[in-house]
Amino acid sequence: MSRHYHHAQPHHSRHPRTPKITLYDVPGRTQHPWAPNIWRIRFILNFKRIPYETVWVEFPQVEATLRQIGAPPSSVRSDGRPVYTLPVIVDETRPGLAPIILSNPNIIAEYLESAHPARQVYPEGSRAVQTLFVHYIQEVLVKPLLPIMVPLSHQRLPEHIQSHFRGVPSPGGSSQPLPPGPQREHAWASVQEQFDFISAVLDKNMGDGDGTVAQGHEVSYADFALCSVLLWIERMAPQDGWARVRTWNNGRWQRLWDRCKPYMDEF
């Protein structure tokens, strides 16, 4: 994978295949994907063994690029203005039919499960419960991470992208500096409380499951959503973050990482 990113140019996998799915992703400073919402979809594509390639789009070009390809907004602001965010996929695997273009990771996940049902990420009857689990991850578990991980992530973006974000406020606190030592330790303690709660929930599967994954013995979308957060921490805070998180709850999160590792390919 090249470390020089052209605007909306496809990165071809080692084994080009057609027809294909194209995944739109945002580059960091290194050659490895890092964004958690996008990793959810990358996990599913890898797990289902669906051929795909990546188009890298830098943050300042996201909205213009997505409008250009006809992608729907991922959400709508209270004043009615559309919001364009990644991931986006373009599915060209249906011969003779127009490509399917989708945004919003949860919508994409359900579409991939329906359109490519082999190797299920939603075991039968689990969509409702998994939807609640993933909602908790993105709305509750991640919140105490934002004051730490958003500034760290911005520090690891290319310099010209960091300049784009300076002075641009966001609900995630991207305009805020990284908390100093004591405050950062307090923030990590709040993060650990959330991981302790999820760990206690997963322990309930010990009787009829393996206690590591959310659905019995096999990985599912819920595990990929949670492991995407772990990947974000590992990629953007390997020393300050992942070095501690991997040891929490008797190494549970390292075990989950290991279960998801076979699906961490980067095409």
Side-chain angles (χ1 to χ4, degrees):
M1 185 185 299
S2 170
R3 293 182 64 178
H4 179 68
Y5 302 105
H6 298 280
H7 170 54
Q9 291 296 311
H11 163 73
H12 296 281
S13 75
R14 294 185 296 272
H15 307 287
R17 313 164 191 154
T18 55
K20 68 180 186 302
I21 285 179
T22 302
L23 173 66
Y24 284 73
D25 199 346
V26 61
R29 188 179 290 171
T30 73
Q31 57 183 315
H32 298 294
W34 62 274
N37 282 351
I38 306 173
W39 256 112
R40 288 195 220 171
I41 306 309
R42 196 177 290 277
F43 268 129
I44 294 173
L45 293 167
N46 291 334
F47 180 77
K48 288 179 172 290
R49 301 169 184 162
I50 301 172
Y52 72 98
E53 64 182 17
T54 299
V55 168
W56 299 102
V57 185
E58 293 186 329
F59 275 114
Q61 284 79 47
V62 166
E63 180 170 346
T65 299
L66 299 189
R67 285 181 179 272
Q68 182 180 28
I69 67 171
S74 53
S75 61
V76 178
R77 295 183 178 92
S78 59
D79 61 6
R81 290 180 297 155
V83 178
Y84 290 89
T85 60
L86 300 176
V88 160
I89 65 163
V90 178
D91 186 349
E92 299 174 279
T93 62
R94 308 180 308 152
L97 297 176
I100 295 288
I101 306 175
L102 295 172
S103 61
N104 186 301
N106 294 324
I107 291 173
I108 295 172
E110 294 200 19
Y111 166 77
L112 290 174
E113 183 77 340
S114 298
H116 304 270
R119 296 176 61 81
Q120 291 183 322
V121 295
Y122 289 101
E124 184 177 358
S126 72
R127 289 200 188 204
V129 172
Q130 287 206 64
T131 298
L132 284 173
F133 189 94
V134 172
H135 179 80
Y136 185 89
I137 291 170
Q138 66 188 25
E139 298 297 333
V140 182
L141 175 75
V142 167
K143 279 195 173 179
L145 267 171
L146 296 180
I148 308 168
M149 290 303 303
V150 171
L152 284 174
S153 298
H154 287 183
Q155 289 175 13
R156 288 177 175 262
L157 293 175
E159 177 59 35
H160 65 284
I161 303 300
Q162 293 185 42
S163 299
H164 168 75
F165 279 110
R166 289 190 184 113
V168 179
S170 83
S174 63
S175 62
Q176 298 301 315
L178 187 67
Q183 293 181 30
R184 190 155 68 248
E185 288 304 313
H186 179 74
W188 279 117
S190 297
V191 173
Q192 186 171 9
E193 289 179 4
Q194 290 298 329
F195 276 86
D196 288 346
F197 175 78
I198 292 289
S199 180
V201 170
L202 293 174
D203 278 343
K204 297 180 183 297
N205 282 345
M206 291 296 291
D208 55 358
D210 65 12
T212 298
V213 299
Q215 294 282 329
H217 297 272
E218 303 298 332
V219 292
S220 64
Y221 180 48
D223 301 301
F224 293 149
L226 183 50
C227 196
S228 293
V229 176
L230 302 181
L231 260 165
W232 183 30
I233 297 170
E234 189 272 343
R235 294 283 161 90
M236 294 308 197
Q239 301 304 320
D240 189 34
W242 180 236
R244 68 177 85 204
V245 173
R246 66 188 297 180
T247 67
W248 290 346
N249 309 114
N250 297 314
R252 173 188 292 282
W253 312 117
Q254 180 66 62
R255 293 194 298 275
L256 178 60
W257 175 286
D258 293 340
R259 290 294 300 273
C260 295
K261 187 176 177 60
Y263 315 111
M264 292 184 187
D265 289 334
E266 302 172 5
F267 293 113

